Amino acid sequence: MKKALFALTICLALTGNVFAVENTTTLTSDITQKKYERKTAVSIGELEFQKTFVRLPVIDNTKKGAADVITSIIRSATGNTVYTYPITDAQIEELTRIFYKYVITQRFDKLNILPDQVILMTKTGEATLNAQLPQPSIPQGIGLNEYRSKVERYLNGNIAPIMKKLMEITLDQRYRELPEQEKATFITQKAKELGLTAEVAEKLMNSGFAFATYIPTIEGAFSLNISQGLEKLAAPYNAKISLQAKPILLVYKFDGDKGKFTFYKEIKGDSGATIESKPLKAPIYNQAFYQDLFNKVLFTTVKAAAINTGMKLKEDDDFAIFTPAEEVEDKTFKAKIGVAETIRIDAPFDIYEFENGKKVYKGFGKAREVAYNCEINSTNKTKFALIRGKVEEYDLLREHPWSGVLFGIQFGTTPFTVTEVAGYTADGGGDWNTFRVTIDADLGYIRNSKTLSEWWLKLFAGGGSGGDDINIPALGATISPDSYIEGGLGIYKRIYLGTTGFAVTPGIDLSYRYLQFTGTAGDKLTIGAVTLTPHIGVVYNLTANFEINGEIGYPANISSDTTYTDIWGIQYTGTAQTEGGMNFFIGASYHFGIVGSLSKLYSEPPSCRRAK
């Protein structure tokens, strides 16, 4: 009997008007299963860093040849070949708050047991508690195995005995028969006997899982660069710091029969490469000068790692939202979830039905109007748009683990026909076979903004080949194409047509294009152009994670610069005039869940306190 009751307690720790079970044969539309009850997740200690410093090799891309050799000797003599930045105690404390804010969202209350305090984070805010709990006191800078051993020793030596006693109280027949008000008084008295406040005792009683996070050595690099492309608009030089963190989230589950925490699973997160840049008028070799830049990218990196880790956590049914579809209409449906479960605008939910007790995938929808459901017994519901497939009343909705960022590739052709070079009539260039790597980011989801719903930011970079020779008759030059390089950003709107996953995508791009040509006698021509490209395209969603896309556009150069160097070394500089033309691309995109530097754009998880 105790085993069954405890299993029910753990189940309730992650449910309410949501379901978090895998045995789908037990899922029904019974209204008693939809009541929302907040439960608690416990995090142990601060983020544990394998190394509380980051060593960055200095890469100087501003000098070449003899100048580079001389500069390297000077940097070596002055200790500027590697920059080492510490991660301070104050930073670790703040980074811990940021990390768990995105990993253990407000759908749980969070009891964060730190070395010198206990912080309770709820849907309406956070408070520091007089918890009277033993502190973890786990030192920074230790190995993963030692850290894991210390966490388990702390959990089972300090927290598990308390939870076992509290569970025994809730399983006591006399306790279950008490009125709610007397239960609270009873818990308060028992908490005092255990040396706890009633608030902490209540949270521990409702805790099924504990978390601890280890961050292996953070890798990165520092570089000084000559600005290229659109970067030239800011300054001639820039400094960049890139970092990557791969946290390991250790998850433990309390076993009521054994009265101890047992290892549940390990989740490996990844920030991706995060980069921060600082424009410079001239190269500066000084570690202290870039301290603020390091601090900025450190927080960006940990935030990116947290977003990825939180997404991967939702791949586990115990940490994902399950809820029935209600009020189904032609292209929309609703669900009794919302801000309290940290649902974002444009968040995708997979749709399932049951056949012979098995889940059958039917399609997916995305949140369009997120309900404020933070009040007790709230009946407010979030409205969804059906993107692809079908949905019926009381079909099962399952939160789709998602970051809002897609990575893709595109192939196509790009026109760049030249009519004038540095004031001289020219002809050639033609169409270039082009390959692109793309990143598409749903701004509605990332910013949690209804106004930005299905507005997407696009970043792209690529190259091409296959252009035509350029002739400059007045200079007696015929030069052949070497390379075509482009990079830029754009914004577009997805307008879904029906429920087939098909959308049209009008938008506009701003890019920098660079072309290089070489003549048979060694003469060279380079052209750089800032280009504005209005375009319209289509997207076809096969799932929330995979899509096929295509677009046509009309690139128009709004500024350009060119240099022709003849066989005698004489340079002709000026602008390049070009003819217009249509470009065409087709490609595919996939959701990997790594956000990198885009984490800077993410708003905080939805909050009842902010939304009210």
Side-chain angles (χ1 to χ4, degrees):
M1 184 64 174
K2 285 187 177 183
K3 182 176 181 179
L5 287 171
F6 182 74
L8 177 61
T9 302
I10 294 300
C11 181
L12 288 174
L14 295 167
T15 62
N17 63 342
V18 298
F19 304 103
V21 294
E22 177 59 21
N23 182 6
T24 56
T25 59
T26 66
L27 292 168
T28 71
S29 60
D30 188 337
I31 193 66
T32 61
Q33 295 187 10
K34 301 177 192 174
K35 184 179 178 183
Y36 177 69
E37 294 183 34
R38 295 192 61 78
K39 297 299 177 181
T40 305
V42 177
S43 62
I44 304 301
E46 298 172 320
L47 298 179
E48 175 69 26
F49 288 83
Q50 182 179 12
K51 294 180 180 178
T52 54
F53 59 86
V54 179
R55 293 173 61 85
L56 303 175
V58 176
I59 303 168
D60 189 351
N61 297 317
T62 65
K63 304 288 193 303
K64 293 183 179 180
D68 185 40
V69 173
I70 295 171
T71 303
S72 297
I73 294 172
I74 294 173
R75 288 195 294 109
S76 179
T78 57
N80 279 323
T81 56
V82 176
Y83 289 166
T84 302
Y85 293 99
I87 304 175
T88 66
D89 291 344
Q91 286 176 323
I92 291 173
E93 182 177 335
E94 184 59 27
L95 290 170
T96 299
R97 292 188 186 221
I98 291 173
F99 186 84
Y100 284 119
K101 182 181 293 184
Y102 286 90
V103 173
I104 313 173
T105 57
Q106 74 158 21
R107 65 184 60 168
F108 309 108
D109 289 334
K110 287 169 276 189
L111 201 61
N112 194 2
I113 305 174
L114 300 173
D116 57 353
Q117 59 184 336
V118 174
I119 298 175
L120 175 62
M121 304 173 73
T122 70
K123 64 183 179 182
T124 56
E126 64 178 61
T128 301
L129 304 178
N130 178 21
Q132 302 173 18
L133 281 173
Q135 301 302 309
S137 300
I138 300 175
Q140 292 286 338
I142 60 179
L144 175 59
N145 290 336
E146 183 181 358
Y147 174 69
R148 181 169 173 171
S149 176
K150 287 182 179 294
V151 167
E152 293 173 356
R153 192 179 306 124
Y154 173 78
L155 281 172
N156 289 319
N158 296 280
I159 304 300
I162 296 173
M163 290 185 64
K164 184 178 180 181
K165 291 179 181 178
L166 291 172
M167 289 299 177
E168 288 173 352
I169 294 170
T170 63
L171 295 174
D172 190 295
Q173 183 67 31
R174 293 168 299 171
Y175 171 81
R176 298 201 304 273
E177 292 175 355
L178 289 174
E180 290 300 318
Q181 187 172 357
E182 292 185 30
K183 282 183 180 179
T185 303
F186 187 72
I187 289 296
T188 300
Q189 179 59 41
K190 290 296 181 182
K192 289 181 179 179
E193 294 176 8
L194 295 171
L196 302 173
T197 63
E199 193 169 23
V200 171
E202 179 188 358
K203 298 307 177 188
L204 287 175
M205 285 170 62
N206 294 329
S207 301
F209 293 93
F211 300 83
T213 304
Y214 184 84
I215 300 184
T217 301
I218 295 178
E219 305 290 345
F222 172 91
S223 65
L224 286 169
N225 313 283
I226 299 173
S227 295
Q228 303 291 335
L230 297 177
E231 293 175 332
K232 291 181 180 180
L233 301 177
Y237 299 92
N238 65 76
K240 292 179 181 177
I241 295 179
S242 63
L243 297 179
Q244 185 170 14
K246 297 182 178 181
I248 300 172
L249 181 69
L250 304 175
V251 185
Y252 295 88
K253 191 172 185 178
F254 185 73
D255 186 324
D257 288 339
K258 298 179 180 178
K260 61 182 291 188
F261 282 92
T262 58
F263 181 72
Y264 179 70
K265 73 186 312 178
E266 175 181 293
I267 296 174
K268 294 182 178 180
D270 191 344
S271 67
T274 60
I275 302 172
E276 292 285 355
S277 178
K278 186 181 186 75
L280 300 172
K281 293 181 178 179
I284 296 174
Y285 304 94
N286 187 318
Q287 175 176 321
F289 181 78
Y290 300 107
Q291 180 69 58
D292 290 344
L293 184 64
F294 170 78
N295 293 343
K296 190 175 180 181
V297 72
L298 176 64
F299 278 80
T300 300
T301 302
V302 171
K303 181 179 177 182
I307 292 169
N308 177 257
T309 304
M311 183 209 72
K312 288 184 175 179
L313 187 64
K314 294 173 186 175
E315 294 173 358
D316 187 312
D317 284 351
D318 277 331
F319 301 99
I321 299 289
F322 288 82
T323 191
E326 301 179 36
E327 299 182 31
V328 175
E329 297 182 4
D330 184 30
K331 299 178 183 179
T332 65
F333 56 94
K334 294 183 178 180
K336 200 179 292 184
I337 53 176
V339 173
E341 291 76 37
T342 60
I343 305 302
R344 287 179 175 267
I345 293 291
D346 288 350
F349 272 68
D350 294 322
I351 303 166
Y352 295 92
E353 67 179 358
F354 300 99
E355 292 182 2
N356 301 319
K358 295 182 179 180
K359 285 193 301 185
V360 178
Y361 179 76
K362 297 180 64 176
F364 74 98
K366 298 179 76 173
R368 294 295 191 236
E369 299 176 12
V370 178
Y372 179 82
N373 63 336
C374 301
E375 306 294 342
I376 297 176
N377 298 324
S378 171
T379 59
N380 295 337
K381 300 174 184 178
T382 289
K383 185 176 182 179
F384 290 81
L386 180 61
I387 302 300
R388 176 180 171 86
K390 297 180 180 181
V391 62
E392 298 176 271
E393 200 80 10
Y394 299 120
D395 276 348
L396 177 68
L397 306 179
R398 201 273 191 201
E399 180 180 24
H400 187 92
W402 213 55
S403 67
V405 177
L406 304 175
F407 291 81
I409 56 174
Q410 289 183 324
F411 299 90
T413 61
T414 301
F416 205 110
T417 300
V418 180
T419 59
E420 184 180 295
V421 172
Y424 296 92
T425 300
D427 177 56
D431 293 331
W432 298 72
N433 299 319
T434 309
F435 168 79
R436 281 180 175 177
V437 176
T438 62
I439 299 174
D440 294 75
D442 184 345
L443 294 176
Y445 180 86
I446 288 173
R447 299 301 303 165
N448 190 34
S449 168
K450 185 178 177 180
T451 303
L452 294 176
S453 177
E454 294 300 348
W455 279 99
W456 288 69
L457 173 69
K458 178 172 70 173
L459 307 175
F460 59 92
S465 62
D468 299 329
D469 291 351
I470 289 183
N471 299 305
I472 311 175
L475 300 177
T478 298
I479 41 184
S480 302
D482 282 341
S483 61
Y484 169 90
I485 300 171
E486 67 173 9
L489 55 85
I491 190 168
Y492 65 92
K493 173 75 171 179
R494 294 192 179 191
I495 303 170
Y496 282 94
L497 306 177
T499 59
T500 62
F502 184 85
V504 295
T505 58
I508 192 166
D509 295 341
L510 178 66
S511 64
Y512 183 82
R513 302 192 289 169
Y514 179 83
L515 296 87
Q516 183 170 304
F517 299 78
T518 302
T520 56
D523 48 337
K524 292 182 179 294
L525 172 68
T526 61
I527 302 174
V530 177
T531 305
L532 199 64
T533 307
H535 57 81
I536 188 165
V538 294
V539 166
Y540 181 60
N541 291 104
L542 296 175
T543 68
N545 277 359
F546 182 71
E547 63 187 35
I548 299 171
N549 55 67
E551 67 179 60
I552 56 173
Y554 190 90
N557 295 336
I558 57 178
S559 70
S560 66
D561 60 84
T562 184
T563 299
Y564 172 68
T565 305
D566 67 15
I567 60 175
W568 310 106
I570 299 173
Q571 291 190 336
Y572 302 82
T573 61
T575 61
Q577 300 297 320
T578 60
E579 291 181 352
M582 302 295 291
N583 67 7
F584 168 79
F585 287 95
I586 187 169
S589 296
Y590 189 78
H591 176 260
F592 287 98
I594 295 175
V595 302
S597 297
L598 287 172
S599 66
K600 293 181 290 186
L601 299 179
Y602 280 72
S603 66
E604 291 191 358
S607 164
C608 289
R609 178 165 48 92
R610 290 193 303 271
K612 191 171 182 178

